[in-house]
């Protein structure tokens, strides 16, 4: 873990802060690699049940990939592992994740937010993909995820023009689930993950997988996966506890 990425644990919640406020939390390859490695570490750590990603300060969640870092990259680094690979590790992690966006979430910053399961933001936040103005494209999931989550027309508009998207618009589109004042956003994200962490942990993992599969399978295949995931849960102590707690009018203890 380098100084540009701070990892802390509060209760059952892992909190990752991109800590480069002077560069508007621009994401070097090392930063994104460190974030994905932290997800892997926490995946194996039974005490952490979900993750918040945020940026230091309130000017930016992350203003994109670090452009000076990108200047040193050529075809090989962009072809092999790199940003898209690490973002996929985050997106596919069994741990639920919430991006707490205060300020700019641009380029790789928008992609990092889209790699999380849920995004919350301050009303003044701005999302966007400036890449085509730099002679490149959003290459860490942006073209694929924005079109799947908000529609191809929305992706065309923002990727081809570079136009910024307001937090209000992102909220309307369902990209952002909640709006909070800057002073409250971090606590709101922690509360969301804490609330998820009190639900059935296997149910959360399988729900995440089933929902994710809807983006790249047929309806029939997705329904089959959902059916099998549900059937598997019916053989677990977690299901027994969840249903028994409801019937016994008590809080489940997962
Ligand atoms: N990579 C590297 N450094 C970045 C950066 C990035 N993506 N985004 C911002 N910074 C740095 C700036 O170079 C500046 O550093 P300096 O103080 O040493 O000059 C510092 O962060 C503050 O940014 P600045 O541009 O002065 O702030 P601003 O409020 O005038 O503008 C933005 C804010 C977000 C509009 C502007 O910084 C910007 O356009 N950033 C690049 C966004 C981008 O293209 N992202 C996609 C990259 S693939």
């Amino acid at each position: 873990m380098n100084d540009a990425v701070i990892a802390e644990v509060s209760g059952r919640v892992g909190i990752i802060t991109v800590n480069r406020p002077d560069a508007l939390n621009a994401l070097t390859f090392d930063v994104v690699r460190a974030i994905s490695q932290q997800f892997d570490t926490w995946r194996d750590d039974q005490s952490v049940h979900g993750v918040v990603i945020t940026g230091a300060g309130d000017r930016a969640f992350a203003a994109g990939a670090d452009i000076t870092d990108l200047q040193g990259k050529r075809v090989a680094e962009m072809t092999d592992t790199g940003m898209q690979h690490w973002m996929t590790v985050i997106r596919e992690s069994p741990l639920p994740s919430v991006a707490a966006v205060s300020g700019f979430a641009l380029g790789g910053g928008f992609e990092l937010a889209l790699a999380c399961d849920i995004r919350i933001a301050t009303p003044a936040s701005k999302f966007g993909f400036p890449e085509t103005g730099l002679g490149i494209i959003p290459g860490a999931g942006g073209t694929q995820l924005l079109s799947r989550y908000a529609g191809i027309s929305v992706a065309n508009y923002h990727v081809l023009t570079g136009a910024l998207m307001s937090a209000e618009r992102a909220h309307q589109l369902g990209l952002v689930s909640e709006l909070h004042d800057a002073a409250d956003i971090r606590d709101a994200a922690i509360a969301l993950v804490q609330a998820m962490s009190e639900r059935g942990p296997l149910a959360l993992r399988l729900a995440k997988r089933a929902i994710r599969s809807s983006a790249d399978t047929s309806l029939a295949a997705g329904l089959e996966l959902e059916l099998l995931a549900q059937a598997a849960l019916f053989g677990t102590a977690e299901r027994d506890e969840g249903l028994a707690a409801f019937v016994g009018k008590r809080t489940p203890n997962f």
Side-chain angles (χ1 to χ4, degrees), residues 32-56:
V32 182
R33 184 194 292 113
I35 296 172
S36 87
Q37 286 171 345
Q38 191 60 54
F39 267 75
D40 280 346
T41 302
W42 280 334
R43 179 198 56 208
D44 301 330
D45 181 339
Q46 301 285 322
S47 65
V48 169
H49 289 214
V51 180
V52 168
I53 304 182
T54 192

Side-chain angles (χ1 to χ4, degrees), residues 45-197:
D45 181 339
Q46 301 285 322
S47 65
V48 169
H49 289 214
V51 180
V52 168
I53 304 182
T54 192
D58 55 13
R59 288 193 63 208
F61 174 72
D66 187 298
I67 293 171
T68 50
D69 193 44
L70 288 185
Q71 283 184 304
K73 308 290 180 204
R74 302 300 289 182
V75 176
E77 293 98 322
M78 302 307 292
T79 308
D80 298 335
T81 56
M83 291 279 193
Q84 192 191 87
H85 170 76
W86 298 313
M87 297 276 192
T88 300
V89 169
I90 295 165
R91 190 168 56 84
E92 293 189 346
S93 171
L95 294 173
S97 54
V98 174
V101 175
S102 186
F104 291 109
L106 304 180
F110 196 0
E111 289 169 318
L112 181 60
L114 289 171
C116 292
D117 298 315
I118 295 171
R119 288 148 291 286
I120 65 173
T122 61
S125 293
K126 299 258 184 266
F127 299 81
F129 283 125
E131 282 91 337
T132 52
L134 300 167
I136 57 177
I137 65 171
T143 65
Q144 301 305 299
L145 296 180
L146 186 60
S147 36
R148 279 170 172 76
Y149 296 171
I152 287 177
S153 296
V154 171
N156 278 339
Y157 177 65
H158 288 282
V159 173
L160 303 184
T161 70
L164 294 180
M165 181 189 293
S166 68
E168 187 190 0
R169 175 75 176 138
H171 191 217
Q172 265 173 7
L173 288 167
L175 290 170
V176 162
S177 298
E178 296 178 4
L179 293 172
H180 293 274
D181 290 341
D184 304 328
I185 186 104
R186 184 182 153 99
D187 286 349
I190 292 171
L192 265 182
V193 174
Q194 188 65 38
M196 286 190 273
S197 79

